Amino acid sequence: MRTRSRKLQRKGNILALTACLMVMLIAFLAFAVDLGYMQVVRTEVQRAADASAIAAAWDLLDEEEALGQGDPVKMAANCRLTAAAYANHNPIVGTGANLALDDVLVGHIENPTDPTSPMVFDSSANPNAVRVRIRRTAEQNGDVRLFFSRVLGVDRTSAQAEATAVLLKNFRGFQTPSSGGNIELLPFALDVDTWNALLAGCGSDNWTWDAENGTAIRGADGILEVNLFPQGTGSPGNRGTVDIGSSNNSTADIARQILDGISPTDLAQHGGKLEFDDTGKLDLNGDTGISAGVKDELTSIIGEPRIIPLFDSVVGPGNNAQYSIVEFVGIRILEVKLTGKMSCKRVIVQPAPILVHGGIPNTGSVTSHFVYSPVWLVR
C-alpha cells in the first residue's frame, strides 16, 4: 500500500511539474509572439518615417524658384503636407499615423556627410533637410495593444522612429558618379552678369516648355529667357564653348557632350573632376563662339534639363580664350537657330531644375543654382 501511495505521489508530482512547465512554455511562447509583434511594429514605424522623410524632402526641389517665387515658408508647409500623406499611406499594424506639428521639422544641414553636422532652423538658411518623427504612443496615435503579455501585466507598448532626408542644392563641381555614368553638363559658358540680371527680372519671356506634350511653344510662362549664343564680336567677355576634356575639343567632341554629357574620360583630363579652387574659380580653355555644326544636337535636347557653367571673365581671343568659371546653373534649351545673319543666331535657354549624380557639395558661398542631388536618408 505504501509503495502504491509513493507511486501515486510521484506521478502527481510529475503531472504538477509537467503542468508547470507547460504553463511556462505557453508563457514563453506568448512572450515570443508579442516580442515578434513588437519588432514588426518598430519596423513599420521606421519604414513610415523613412518614406515620409524621403517624400517630403523632394518638395525642397523648388521649381517655383525659376519663376522668382521661391518661398522657404511655402516649401516647409508643402513638406509637412507630403510627410503627413505618406505617414497615413504607410500603415502601422493596419493604421496610418497622424503627425503633430513638431513631428515634421524642415531645416538646413551644412554638411550632410558629417554625422555631427547639426540641423539648424535659421529662416535665412536655404532648407535642404526634413526630419520626420512617427509615433505610436498614448499621446499620439495610440500605443499598440499586445496579445498575450497582458497575463504578465503588460498589455500595451509604444514605438517611435525618426528619419532625416536631405536634398543637396549647392555644388562646387562635379566628378564621376559612384555608379558610373556621365554628367549632363553642356560645354557652353554664359557670363554671370547676364544670368544675375535674368534672375533679377531682366530678360524676355517668349517661350513655354509644354512638359505634357514635350514641346517648346510660343508664349509666356513667367520664366524669363536669355540667349546663350555670343552676341558680341568675339572679343574678351563674349560667351562661347569651353573645352572639357581635351584642350582642343573638335566639333564631334562637342556634339557628343551635348547628347551624352561629360564622360569619365573627359573628366580624367582634369584630374577626375571639375571643381572650383580655393578662390572659387575654375579656369577652362575655350572658344568665343558656337559652331553651327552642332545645331542638330542642340535641337535634339530642347526641353531637357542641362547644366551650364557661368564665367565672370575671359581673357584672349578666338580659340585661345581662357574662361574663369565661377558658378554652375540648371537650364533648358527652348529654341536653336545657328544659321543666317550673326545678329539672328540664337540658343534660347531658361532656368530649369536638374538632378545630378556626382555633384561635389559646397559648404561655403552659393556656387550653383537649380542644380539638385537626388534625395537620400542621412539619419
Side-chain angles (χ1 to χ4, degrees), residues 164-192:
T164 302
V166 164
L167 176 77
L168 290 181
K169 300 181 176 184
N170 192 25
F171 301 94
R172 59 180 290 114
F174 305 96
Q175 59 192 348
T176 301
S178 58
S179 59
N182 296 352
I183 305 294
E184 293 183 319
L185 190 153
L186 294 177
F188 303 113
L190 175 68
D191 60 286
V192 69

Side-chain angles (χ1 to χ4, degrees), residues 66-67 198 201-210 215-227 302 332-336 344 346-351:
L67 293 167
L198 181 73
C202 182
S204 59
D205 186 9
N206 300 319
W207 290 92
T208 295
W209 173 245
D210 183 350
T215 58
I217 58 177
R218 288 280 185 179
D221 62 358
I223 304 176
L224 300 183
E225 303 131 9
V226 67
N227 188 358
I302 283 178
R332 67 165 56 92
I333 296 173
L334 296 175
E335 184 194 21
V336 177
C344 295
R346 54 191 178 269
V347 178
I348 303 299
V349 302
Q350 68 176 193

Side-chain angles (χ1 to χ4, degrees), residues 9-191:
Q9 183 179 6
R10 190 180 302 118
K11 186 176 180 180
N13 291 339
I14 292 173
L15 289 174
L17 179 61
T18 301
C20 182
L21 290 175
M22 288 295 293
V23 170
M24 291 178 63
L25 179 60
I26 292 172
F28 278 124
L29 288 175
F31 183 71
V33 169
D34 279 348
L35 189 63
Y37 182 63
M38 291 165 60
Q39 185 59 45
V40 169
V41 171
R42 293 190 181 100
T43 299
E44 291 185 344
V45 170
Q46 188 64 63
R47 180 198 64 198
D50 292 349
S52 299
I54 289 172
W58 279 111
D59 283 330
L60 298 174
L61 195 159
D62 187 11
E63 296 190 15
E64 292 191 351
E65 184 183 1
L67 293 167
Q69 300 172 3
D71 184 351
V73 174
K74 183 177 179 180
M75 277 195 295
N78 289 339
C79 288
R80 291 188 175 91
L81 288 174
T82 299
Y86 273 76
N88 192 53
H89 292 153
N90 283 270
I92 301 159
V93 292
T95 304
N98 294 317
L99 302 183
L101 184 62
D102 62 348
D103 284 335
V104 183
L105 299 177
V106 180
H108 180 84
I109 300 177
E110 184 70 13
N111 184 6
T113 61
D114 179 3
T116 66
S117 185
M119 186 171 175
V120 298
F121 307 99
D122 184 350
S123 60
S124 64
N126 194 5
N128 71 342
V130 179
R131 180 185 300 162
V132 175
R133 177 178 59 178
I134 303 288
R135 292 181 286 167
R136 284 295 304 267
T137 64
E139 297 77 19
Q140 186 71 21
N141 296 305
D143 47 19
V144 180
R145 292 179 63 87
L146 300 175
F147 296 107
F148 303 106
S149 296
R150 64 189 65 182
V151 300
L152 303 176
V154 180
D155 65 342
R156 296 173 181 272
T157 186
S158 62
Q160 72 175 41
E162 288 187 355
T164 302
V166 164
L167 176 77
L168 290 181
K169 300 181 176 184
N170 192 25
F171 301 94
R172 59 180 290 114
F174 305 96
Q175 59 192 348
T176 301
S178 58
S179 59
N182 296 352
I183 305 294
E184 293 183 319
L185 190 153
L186 294 177
F188 303 113
L190 175 68
D191 60 286

